[in-house]
Amino acid sequence: LTQVINLDKAADGLKVMFDAYRHSTNDIRVLYRALRVDAPDGDQQFQLFPGYNNLDNAGGIIDPSKNDGLPDKFVPPSEGYDDFNPYEFNISNIPQFSAFQIKVCMSGTNYAYVPRLKDFRVIATI
């Protein structure tokens, strides 16, 4: 979970990028929370990124209720312990926000293989 990142200029989209080691028994999901000045705190919950299963060929969201937090494109499991694959998550055309938070949820069925992240970056887009 990131700290709240305040923006100088309002944005209406987010791009999250990182490299990750993910064994075939692991799962990585990413959520965002866009904080708006004009919305009550209770309305500003974490939302899942759309995921490749919920994007059309043009990159548009098919059904917002089916967002699953997966990356924009399928990323195969890592082949070795030091094999880090690039992950990218995008959301656009959301109500303008002045601050945001990112949450990365990692899980697995075999605790001998722990997902690892590096080169974590987030860009707020207009």
mmCIF file of all heavy atoms in Angstrom, residues 63-99:
data_model
loop_
_atom_site.group_PDB
_atom_site.id
_atom_site.type_symbol
_atom_site.label_atom_id
_atom_site.label_comp_id
_atom_site.label_asym_id
_atom_site.label_seq_id
_atom_site.Cartn_x
_atom_site.Cartn_y
_atom_site.Cartn_z
ATOM 1 N N ASP A 63 -16.908 -4.089 -19.074
ATOM 2 C CA ASP A 63 -17.911 -4.017 -18.010
ATOM 3 C C ASP A 63 -17.211 -3.685 -16.689
ATOM 4 O O ASP A 63 -16.518 -4.535 -16.138
ATOM 5 C CB ASP A 63 -18.640 -5.353 -17.898
ATOM 6 C CG ASP A 63 -19.743 -5.347 -16.853
ATOM 7 O OD1 ASP A 63 -19.885 -4.343 -16.106
ATOM 8 O OD2 ASP A 63 -20.470 -6.360 -16.766
ATOM 9 N N PRO A 64 -17.378 -2.450 -16.176
ATOM 10 C CA PRO A 64 -16.684 -2.055 -14.940
ATOM 11 C C PRO A 64 -16.952 -2.986 -13.754
ATOM 12 O O PRO A 64 -16.112 -3.112 -12.874
ATOM 13 C CB PRO A 64 -17.208 -0.648 -14.659
ATOM 14 C CG PRO A 64 -17.681 -0.144 -15.973
ATOM 15 C CD PRO A 64 -18.174 -1.360 -16.715
ATOM 16 N N SER A 65 -18.076 -3.663 -13.733
ATOM 17 C CA SER A 65 -18.372 -4.563 -12.616
ATOM 18 C C SER A 65 -17.527 -5.838 -12.668
ATOM 19 O O SER A 65 -17.495 -6.594 -11.703
ATOM 20 C CB SER A 65 -19.855 -4.924 -12.599
ATOM 21 O OG SER A 65 -20.177 -5.741 -13.709
ATOM 22 N N LYS A 66 -16.834 -6.066 -13.770
ATOM 23 C CA LYS A 66 -16.009 -7.268 -13.921
ATOM 24 C C LYS A 66 -14.513 -6.973 -13.840
ATOM 25 O O LYS A 66 -13.696 -7.805 -14.215
ATOM 26 C CB LYS A 66 -16.335 -7.965 -15.240
ATOM 27 C CG LYS A 66 -17.754 -8.501 -15.265
ATOM 28 C CD LYS A 66 -18.047 -9.255 -16.523
ATOM 29 C CE LYS A 66 -19.477 -9.771 -16.464
ATOM 30 N NZ LYS A 66 -19.841 -10.475 -17.677
ATOM 31 N N ASN A 67 -14.147 -5.786 -13.345
ATOM 32 C CA ASN A 67 -12.732 -5.474 -13.139
ATOM 33 C C ASN A 67 -12.144 -6.490 -12.162
ATOM 34 O O ASN A 67 -12.754 -6.799 -11.142
ATOM 35 C CB ASN A 67 -12.551 -4.063 -12.598
ATOM 36 C CG ASN A 67 -12.851 -2.999 -13.634
ATOM 37 O OD1 ASN A 67 -13.084 -3.295 -14.805
ATOM 38 N ND2 ASN A 67 -12.845 -1.747 -13.218
ATOM 39 N N ASP A 68 -10.935 -7.005 -12.478
ATOM 40 C CA ASP A 68 -10.357 -8.057 -11.641
ATOM 41 C C ASP A 68 -8.956 -7.749 -11.117
ATOM 42 O O ASP A 68 -8.375 -8.553 -10.400
ATOM 43 C CB ASP A 68 -10.363 -9.395 -12.369
ATOM 44 C CG ASP A 68 -9.596 -9.373 -13.688
ATOM 45 O OD1 ASP A 68 -8.861 -8.401 -13.956
ATOM 46 O OD2 ASP A 68 -9.728 -10.345 -14.456
ATOM 47 N N GLY A 69 -8.387 -6.595 -11.469
ATOM 48 C CA GLY A 69 -7.087 -6.211 -10.927
ATOM 49 C C GLY A 69 -5.899 -6.838 -11.619
ATOM 50 O O GLY A 69 -4.761 -6.647 -11.189
ATOM 51 N N LEU A 70 -6.123 -7.585 -12.680
ATOM 52 C CA LEU A 70 -5.025 -8.184 -13.427
ATOM 53 C C LEU A 70 -4.369 -7.128 -14.327
ATOM 54 O O LEU A 70 -4.949 -6.074 -14.569
ATOM 55 C CB LEU A 70 -5.542 -9.354 -14.264
ATOM 56 C CG LEU A 70 -5.982 -10.584 -13.475
ATOM 57 C CD1 LEU A 70 -6.659 -11.604 -14.394
ATOM 58 C CD2 LEU A 70 -4.803 -11.220 -12.760
ATOM 59 N N PRO A 71 -3.177 -7.412 -14.872
ATOM 60 C CA PRO A 71 -2.522 -6.444 -15.750
ATOM 61 C C PRO A 71 -3.287 -6.282 -17.069
ATOM 62 O O PRO A 71 -4.199 -7.044 -17.381
ATOM 63 C CB PRO A 71 -1.129 -7.034 -15.974
ATOM 64 C CG PRO A 71 -1.221 -8.455 -15.592
ATOM 65 C CD PRO A 71 -2.351 -8.591 -14.625
ATOM 66 N N ASP A 72 -2.877 -5.286 -17.860
ATOM 67 C CA ASP A 72 -3.525 -5.003 -19.146
ATOM 68 C C ASP A 72 -3.314 -6.128 -20.160
ATOM 69 O O ASP A 72 -4.131 -6.306 -21.063
ATOM 70 C CB ASP A 72 -2.998 -3.703 -19.739
ATOM 71 C CG ASP A 72 -3.409 -2.488 -18.925
ATOM 72 O OD1 ASP A 72 -4.254 -2.627 -18.021
ATOM 73 O OD2 ASP A 72 -2.881 -1.395 -19.202
ATOM 74 N N LYS A 73 -2.213 -6.823 -20.058
ATOM 75 C CA LYS A 73 -1.905 -7.947 -20.946
ATOM 76 C C LYS A 73 -1.490 -9.142 -20.090
ATOM 77 O O LYS A 73 -0.909 -8.966 -19.026
ATOM 78 C CB LYS A 73 -0.768 -7.584 -21.902
ATOM 79 C CG LYS A 73 -1.134 -6.486 -22.853
ATOM 80 C CD LYS A 73 0.006 -6.160 -23.789
ATOM 81 C CE LYS A 73 -0.419 -5.017 -24.695
ATOM 82 N NZ LYS A 73 0.640 -4.513 -25.506
ATOM 83 N N PHE A 74 -1.758 -10.350 -20.591
ATOM 84 C CA PHE A 74 -1.369 -11.555 -19.872
ATOM 85 C C PHE A 74 0.153 -11.587 -19.707
ATOM 86 O O PHE A 74 0.896 -11.344 -20.652
ATOM 87 C CB PHE A 74 -1.834 -12.801 -20.617
ATOM 88 C CG PHE A 74 -1.325 -14.072 -20.000
ATOM 89 C CD1 PHE A 74 -1.881 -14.560 -18.823
ATOM 90 C CD2 PHE A 74 -0.273 -14.770 -20.571
ATOM 91 C CE1 PHE A 74 -1.412 -15.721 -18.246
ATOM 92 C CE2 PHE A 74 0.208 -15.934 -20.000
ATOM 93 C CZ PHE A 74 -0.359 -16.408 -18.831
ATOM 94 N N VAL A 75 0.605 -11.887 -18.496
ATOM 95 C CA VAL A 75 2.030 -12.028 -18.207
ATOM 96 C C VAL A 75 2.247 -13.461 -17.722
ATOM 97 O O VAL A 75 1.668 -13.861 -16.714
ATOM 98 C CB VAL A 75 2.495 -11.020 -17.126
ATOM 99 C CG1 VAL A 75 3.973 -11.194 -16.844
ATOM 100 C CG2 VAL A 75 2.187 -9.594 -17.543
ATOM 101 N N PRO A 76 3.070 -14.239 -18.445
ATOM 102 C CA PRO A 76 3.292 -15.625 -18.014
ATOM 103 C C PRO A 76 4.061 -15.671 -16.695
ATOM 104 O O PRO A 76 4.763 -14.723 -16.345
ATOM 105 C CB PRO A 76 4.102 -16.234 -19.162
ATOM 106 C CG PRO A 76 4.767 -15.068 -19.812
ATOM 107 C CD PRO A 76 3.839 -13.896 -19.630
ATOM 108 N N PRO A 77 3.962 -16.794 -15.983
ATOM 109 C CA PRO A 77 4.739 -16.929 -14.739
ATOM 110 C C PRO A 77 6.234 -16.834 -15.025
ATOM 111 O O PRO A 77 6.695 -17.130 -16.133
ATOM 112 C CB PRO A 77 4.380 -18.333 -14.235
ATOM 113 C CG PRO A 77 3.127 -18.704 -14.941
ATOM 114 C CD PRO A 77 3.125 -17.973 -16.236
ATOM 115 N N SER A 78 6.988 -16.440 -14.043
ATOM 116 C CA SER A 78 8.437 -16.329 -14.182
ATOM 117 C C SER A 78 9.037 -17.725 -14.360
ATOM 118 O O SER A 78 8.534 -18.704 -13.809
ATOM 119 C CB SER A 78 9.036 -15.657 -12.947
ATOM 120 O OG SER A 78 8.500 -14.363 -12.791
ATOM 121 N N GLU A 79 10.132 -17.784 -15.110
ATOM 122 C CA GLU A 79 10.776 -19.070 -15.364
ATOM 123 C C GLU A 79 11.815 -19.422 -14.306
ATOM 124 O O GLU A 79 12.151 -20.579 -14.138
ATOM 125 C CB GLU A 79 11.406 -19.067 -16.753
ATOM 126 C CG GLU A 79 10.357 -18.987 -17.848
ATOM 127 C CD GLU A 79 10.968 -19.006 -19.233
ATOM 128 O OE1 GLU A 79 12.153 -19.355 -19.374
ATOM 129 O OE2 GLU A 79 10.245 -18.669 -20.174
ATOM 130 N N GLY A 80 12.344 -18.435 -13.625
ATOM 131 C CA GLY A 80 13.335 -18.673 -12.588
ATOM 132 C C GLY A 80 13.204 -17.638 -11.491
ATOM 133 O O GLY A 80 12.493 -16.642 -11.635
ATOM 134 N N TYR A 81 13.923 -17.857 -10.396
ATOM 135 C CA TYR A 81 13.812 -16.980 -9.232
ATOM 136 C C TYR A 81 14.221 -15.543 -9.535
ATOM 137 O O TYR A 81 13.700 -14.612 -8.947
ATOM 138 C CB TYR A 81 14.662 -17.545 -8.086
ATOM 139 C CG TYR A 81 14.497 -16.792 -6.796
ATOM 140 C CD1 TYR A 81 13.301 -16.862 -6.079
ATOM 141 C CD2 TYR A 81 15.520 -15.991 -6.309
ATOM 142 C CE1 TYR A 81 13.139 -16.165 -4.897
ATOM 143 C CE2 TYR A 81 15.360 -15.284 -5.116
ATOM 144 C CZ TYR A 81 14.175 -15.384 -4.423
ATOM 145 O OH TYR A 81 14.020 -14.679 -3.258
ATOM 146 N N ASP A 82 15.143 -15.347 -10.461
ATOM 147 C CA ASP A 82 15.587 -13.990 -10.818
ATOM 148 C C ASP A 82 14.980 -13.503 -12.130
ATOM 149 O O ASP A 82 15.475 -12.548 -12.730
ATOM 150 C CB ASP A 82 17.113 -13.939 -10.884
ATOM 151 C CG ASP A 82 17.743 -14.052 -9.512
ATOM 152 O OD1 ASP A 82 17.147 -13.530 -8.543
ATOM 153 O OD2 ASP A 82 18.818 -14.673 -9.392
ATOM 154 N N ASP A 83 13.916 -14.144 -12.584
ATOM 155 C CA ASP A 83 13.235 -13.751 -13.816
ATOM 156 C C ASP A 83 12.093 -12.795 -13.464
ATOM 157 O O ASP A 83 11.065 -13.210 -12.932
ATOM 158 C CB ASP A 83 12.690 -15.000 -14.524
ATOM 159 C CG ASP A 83 11.972 -14.670 -15.817
ATOM 160 O OD1 ASP A 83 12.294 -13.639 -16.440
ATOM 161 O OD2 ASP A 83 11.078 -15.452 -16.199
ATOM 162 N N PHE A 84 12.299 -11.517 -13.745
ATOM 163 C CA PHE A 84 11.294 -10.490 -13.467
ATOM 164 C C PHE A 84 10.636 -10.082 -14.783
ATOM 165 O O PHE A 84 11.331 -9.686 -15.720
ATOM 166 C CB PHE A 84 11.933 -9.269 -12.799
ATOM 167 C CG PHE A 84 12.276 -9.489 -11.359
ATOM 168 C CD1 PHE A 84 13.434 -10.164 -10.988
ATOM 169 C CD2 PHE A 84 11.437 -9.026 -10.355
ATOM 170 C CE1 PHE A 84 13.755 -10.375 -9.665
ATOM 171 C CE2 PHE A 84 11.744 -9.222 -9.018
ATOM 172 C CZ PHE A 84 12.902 -9.901 -8.676
ATOM 173 N N ASN A 85 9.315 -10.183 -14.848
ATOM 174 C CA ASN A 85 8.556 -9.807 -16.044
ATOM 175 C C ASN A 85 7.886 -8.449 -15.836
ATOM 176 O O ASN A 85 7.476 -8.128 -14.718
ATOM 177 C CB ASN A 85 7.495 -10.859 -16.350
ATOM 178 C CG ASN A 85 8.089 -12.178 -16.749
ATOM 179 O OD1 ASN A 85 9.089 -12.222 -17.464
ATOM 180 N ND2 ASN A 85 7.507 -13.274 -16.290
ATOM 181 N N PRO A 86 7.732 -7.655 -16.908
ATOM 182 C CA PRO A 86 7.082 -6.344 -16.778
ATOM 183 C C PRO A 86 5.554 -6.475 -16.675
ATOM 184 O O PRO A 86 4.939 -7.250 -17.408
ATOM 185 C CB PRO A 86 7.487 -5.616 -18.055
ATOM 186 C CG PRO A 86 7.762 -6.702 -19.044
ATOM 187 C CD PRO A 86 8.257 -7.881 -18.253
ATOM 188 N N TYR A 87 4.978 -5.711 -15.762
ATOM 189 C CA TYR A 87 3.532 -5.637 -15.568
ATOM 190 C C TYR A 87 3.100 -4.194 -15.764
ATOM 191 O O TYR A 87 3.800 -3.273 -15.338
ATOM 192 C CB TYR A 87 3.145 -6.079 -14.155
ATOM 193 C CG TYR A 87 3.239 -7.561 -13.920
ATOM 194 C CD1 TYR A 87 4.466 -8.199 -13.806
ATOM 195 C CD2 TYR A 87 2.089 -8.330 -13.810
ATOM 196 C CE1 TYR A 87 4.558 -9.562 -13.588
ATOM 197 C CE2 TYR A 87 2.161 -9.698 -13.590
ATOM 198 C CZ TYR A 87 3.402 -10.308 -13.481
ATOM 199 O OH TYR A 87 3.480 -11.653 -13.269
ATOM 200 N N GLU A 88 1.926 -3.999 -16.380
ATOM 201 C CA GLU A 88 1.391 -2.650 -16.568
ATOM 202 C C GLU A 88 -0.121 -2.676 -16.359
ATOM 203 O O GLU A 88 -0.816 -3.570 -16.849
ATOM 204 C CB GLU A 88 1.710 -2.138 -17.968
ATOM 205 C CG GLU A 88 1.335 -0.693 -18.172
ATOM 206 C CD GLU A 88 1.845 -0.144 -19.493
ATOM 207 O OE1 GLU A 88 3.031 -0.351 -19.817
ATOM 208 O OE2 GLU A 88 1.037 0.491 -20.191
ATOM 209 N N PHE A 89 -0.603 -1.680 -15.633
ATOM 210 C CA PHE A 89 -2.025 -1.539 -15.300
ATOM 211 C C PHE A 89 -2.434 -0.108 -15.646
ATOM 212 O O PHE A 89 -1.756 0.837 -15.245
ATOM 213 C CB PHE A 89 -2.256 -1.772 -13.810
ATOM 214 C CG PHE A 89 -1.733 -3.088 -13.306
ATOM 215 C CD1 PHE A 89 -0.382 -3.267 -13.049
ATOM 216 C CD2 PHE A 89 -2.593 -4.149 -13.081
ATOM 217 C CE1 PHE A 89 0.108 -4.470 -12.580
ATOM 218 C CE2 PHE A 89 -2.114 -5.361 -12.614
ATOM 219 C CZ PHE A 89 -0.758 -5.529 -12.367
ATOM 220 N N ASN A 90 -3.529 0.056 -16.394
ATOM 221 C CA ASN A 90 -3.994 1.385 -16.790
ATOM 222 C C ASN A 90 -5.477 1.545 -16.501
ATOM 223 O O ASN A 90 -6.253 0.602 -16.652
ATOM 224 C CB ASN A 90 -3.774 1.597 -18.300
ATOM 225 C CG ASN A 90 -2.330 1.821 -18.644
ATOM 226 O OD1 ASN A 90 -1.808 2.893 -18.398
ATOM 227 N ND2 ASN A 90 -1.671 0.806 -19.187
ATOM 228 N N ILE A 91 -5.829 2.745 -16.123
ATOM 229 C CA ILE A 91 -7.233 3.139 -15.992
ATOM 230 C C ILE A 91 -7.301 4.594 -16.446
ATOM 231 O O ILE A 91 -6.413 5.392 -16.129
ATOM 232 C CB ILE A 91 -7.772 2.966 -14.546
ATOM 233 C CG1 ILE A 91 -9.272 3.229 -14.472
ATOM 234 C CG2 ILE A 91 -7.046 3.843 -13.564
ATOM 235 C CD1 ILE A 91 -10.121 2.114 -14.986
ATOM 236 N N SER A 92 -8.312 4.921 -17.251
ATOM 237 C CA SER A 92 -8.451 6.301 -17.725
ATOM 238 C C SER A 92 -9.919 6.689 -17.732
ATOM 239 O O SER A 92 -10.804 5.854 -17.539
ATOM 240 C CB SER A 92 -7.849 6.448 -19.132
ATOM 241 O OG SER A 92 -8.480 5.572 -20.034
ATOM 242 N N ASN A 93 -10.146 7.969 -17.940
ATOM 243 C CA ASN A 93 -11.503 8.529 -17.991
ATOM 244 C C ASN A 93 -12.305 8.263 -16.721
ATOM 245 O O ASN A 93 -13.489 7.964 -16.772
ATOM 246 C CB ASN A 93 -12.262 7.995 -19.218
ATOM 247 C CG ASN A 93 -11.578 8.378 -20.502
ATOM 248 O OD1 ASN A 93 -11.051 9.477 -20.638
ATOM 249 N ND2 ASN A 93 -11.562 7.472 -21.456
ATOM 250 N N ILE A 94 -11.634 8.367 -15.576
ATOM 251 C CA ILE A 94 -12.334 8.294 -14.302
ATOM 252 C C ILE A 94 -12.532 9.732 -13.820
ATOM 253 O O ILE A 94 -11.880 10.648 -14.329
ATOM 254 C CB ILE A 94 -11.568 7.438 -13.272
ATOM 255 C CG1 ILE A 94 -10.143 7.960 -13.038
ATOM 256 C CG2 ILE A 94 -11.522 5.980 -13.717
ATOM 257 C CD1 ILE A 94 -9.362 7.197 -11.975
ATOM 258 N N PRO A 95 -13.435 9.981 -12.876
ATOM 259 C CA PRO A 95 -13.619 11.351 -12.391
ATOM 260 C C PRO A 95 -12.294 11.943 -11.902
ATOM 261 O O PRO A 95 -11.480 11.246 -11.294
ATOM 262 C CB PRO A 95 -14.609 11.197 -11.239
ATOM 263 C CG PRO A 95 -15.355 9.945 -11.559
ATOM 264 C CD PRO A 95 -14.364 9.048 -12.239
ATOM 265 N N GLN A 96 -12.074 13.214 -12.201
ATOM 266 C CA GLN A 96 -10.812 13.859 -11.845
ATOM 267 C C GLN A 96 -10.542 13.760 -10.348
ATOM 268 O O GLN A 96 -11.449 13.889 -9.536
ATOM 269 C CB GLN A 96 -10.816 15.321 -12.280
ATOM 270 C CG GLN A 96 -10.648 15.474 -13.769
ATOM 271 C CD GLN A 96 -10.233 16.880 -14.148
ATOM 272 O OE1 GLN A 96 -10.481 17.844 -13.434
ATOM 273 N NE2 GLN A 96 -9.583 16.993 -15.287
ATOM 274 N N PHE A 97 -9.280 13.538 -10.033
ATOM 275 C CA PHE A 97 -8.861 13.375 -8.648
ATOM 276 C C PHE A 97 -7.607 14.194 -8.402
ATOM 277 O O PHE A 97 -6.866 14.527 -9.326
ATOM 278 C CB PHE A 97 -8.619 11.894 -8.326
ATOM 279 C CG PHE A 97 -7.628 11.216 -9.231
ATOM 280 C CD1 PHE A 97 -6.288 11.158 -8.909
ATOM 281 C CD2 PHE A 97 -8.041 10.637 -10.421
ATOM 282 C CE1 PHE A 97 -5.372 10.534 -9.733
ATOM 283 C CE2 PHE A 97 -7.136 10.010 -11.262
ATOM 284 C CZ PHE A 97 -5.799 9.956 -10.916
ATOM 285 N N SER A 98 -7.370 14.512 -7.131
ATOM 286 C CA SER A 98 -6.213 15.336 -6.766
ATOM 287 C C SER A 98 -5.197 14.564 -5.933
ATOM 288 O O SER A 98 -4.145 15.095 -5.593
ATOM 289 C CB SER A 98 -6.671 16.574 -6.006
ATOM 290 O OG SER A 98 -7.392 16.185 -4.859
ATOM 291 N N ALA A 99 -5.507 13.319 -5.582
ATOM 292 C CA ALA A 99 -4.589 12.464 -4.822
ATOM 293 C C ALA A 99 -4.987 11.012 -5.094
ATOM 294 O O ALA A 99 -6.107 10.732 -5.525
ATOM 295 C CB ALA A 99 -4.660 12.773 -3.337
#
